[in-house]
mmCIF file of all heavy atoms in Angstrom:
data_model
loop_
_atom_site.group_PDB
_atom_site.id
_atom_site.type_symbol
_atom_site.label_atom_id
_atom_site.label_comp_id
_atom_site.label_asym_id
_atom_site.label_seq_id
_atom_site.Cartn_x
_atom_site.Cartn_y
_atom_site.Cartn_z
ATOM 1 N N GLN A 43 294.756 -128.551 151.217
ATOM 2 C CA GLN A 43 295.830 -128.787 152.188
ATOM 3 C C GLN A 43 295.916 -127.591 153.189
ATOM 4 O O GLN A 43 296.865 -127.661 154.009
ATOM 5 C CB GLN A 43 297.072 -129.063 151.510
ATOM 6 C CG GLN A 43 297.083 -130.271 150.536
ATOM 7 C CD GLN A 43 296.669 -131.558 151.299
ATOM 8 O OE1 GLN A 43 297.230 -131.907 152.340
ATOM 9 N NE2 GLN A 43 295.771 -132.285 150.670
ATOM 10 N N LYS A 382 262.730 -118.853 151.254
ATOM 11 C CA LYS A 382 262.266 -117.550 150.788
ATOM 12 C C LYS A 382 262.602 -117.458 149.283
ATOM 13 O O LYS A 382 263.482 -118.128 148.743
ATOM 14 C CB LYS A 382 262.983 -116.479 151.555
ATOM 15 C CG LYS A 382 262.588 -116.386 153.033
ATOM 16 C CD LYS A 382 261.918 -115.088 153.302
ATOM 17 C CE LYS A 382 261.299 -115.013 154.702
ATOM 18 N NZ LYS A 382 261.037 -113.695 155.152
ATOM 19 N N TRP A 400 267.998 -124.100 164.764
ATOM 20 C CA TRP A 400 267.182 -123.004 165.215
ATOM 21 C C TRP A 400 267.331 -122.675 166.700
ATOM 22 O O TRP A 400 267.551 -121.533 167.139
ATOM 23 C CB TRP A 400 265.673 -123.275 164.962
ATOM 24 C CG TRP A 400 265.110 -124.366 165.757
ATOM 25 C CD1 TRP A 400 264.930 -125.708 165.451
ATOM 26 C CD2 TRP A 400 264.449 -124.247 167.036
ATOM 27 N NE1 TRP A 400 264.324 -126.427 166.430
ATOM 28 C CE2 TRP A 400 263.970 -125.566 167.419
ATOM 29 C CE3 TRP A 400 264.287 -123.160 167.970
ATOM 30 C CZ2 TRP A 400 263.364 -125.775 168.679
ATOM 31 C CZ3 TRP A 400 263.630 -123.400 169.153
ATOM 32 C CH2 TRP A 400 263.166 -124.666 169.521
ATOM 33 N N ASP A 508 254.608 -93.423 153.832
ATOM 34 C CA ASP A 508 253.436 -93.409 154.783
ATOM 35 C C ASP A 508 253.827 -92.834 156.132
ATOM 36 O O ASP A 508 253.212 -93.165 157.176
ATOM 37 C CB ASP A 508 252.990 -94.876 154.925
ATOM 38 C CG ASP A 508 252.293 -95.410 153.735
ATOM 39 O OD1 ASP A 508 251.802 -94.574 152.896
ATOM 40 O OD2 ASP A 508 252.161 -96.647 153.563
ATOM 41 N N PRO A 598 262.475 -81.515 138.891
ATOM 42 C CA PRO A 598 261.487 -81.288 137.845
ATOM 43 C C PRO A 598 261.592 -82.424 136.780
ATOM 44 O O PRO A 598 262.657 -82.919 136.461
ATOM 45 C CB PRO A 598 261.928 -79.935 137.240
ATOM 46 C CG PRO A 598 263.360 -79.818 137.637
ATOM 47 C CD PRO A 598 263.522 -80.615 138.934
ATOM 48 N N GLU A 599 260.426 -82.765 136.281
ATOM 49 C CA GLU A 599 260.344 -83.806 135.257
ATOM 50 C C GLU A 599 261.009 -83.347 133.915
ATOM 51 O O GLU A 599 260.959 -82.081 133.616
ATOM 52 C CB GLU A 599 259.001 -84.325 135.061
ATOM 53 C CG GLU A 599 258.408 -84.995 136.255
ATOM 54 C CD GLU A 599 256.970 -85.445 136.038
ATOM 55 O OE1 GLU A 599 256.165 -84.605 135.565
ATOM 56 O OE2 GLU A 599 256.608 -86.593 136.485
ATOM 57 N N GLY A 726 281.981 -71.049 148.285
ATOM 58 C CA GLY A 726 281.761 -72.126 149.313
ATOM 59 C C GLY A 726 280.392 -72.802 149.182
ATOM 60 O O GLY A 726 280.069 -73.603 150.053
ATOM 61 N N LEU A 776 289.368 -93.641 155.877
ATOM 62 C CA LEU A 776 290.793 -93.923 156.189
ATOM 63 C C LEU A 776 290.784 -94.821 157.398
ATOM 64 O O LEU A 776 290.025 -94.734 158.278
ATOM 65 C CB LEU A 776 291.492 -92.598 156.537
ATOM 66 C CG LEU A 776 291.539 -91.480 155.523
ATOM 67 C CD1 LEU A 776 292.456 -90.401 156.002
ATOM 68 C CD2 LEU A 776 292.041 -92.001 154.170
#
Side-chain angles (χ1 to χ4, degrees):
Q43 302 301 313
K382 291 245 172 161
W400 69 266
D508 290 341
E599 293 177 316
L776 302 187

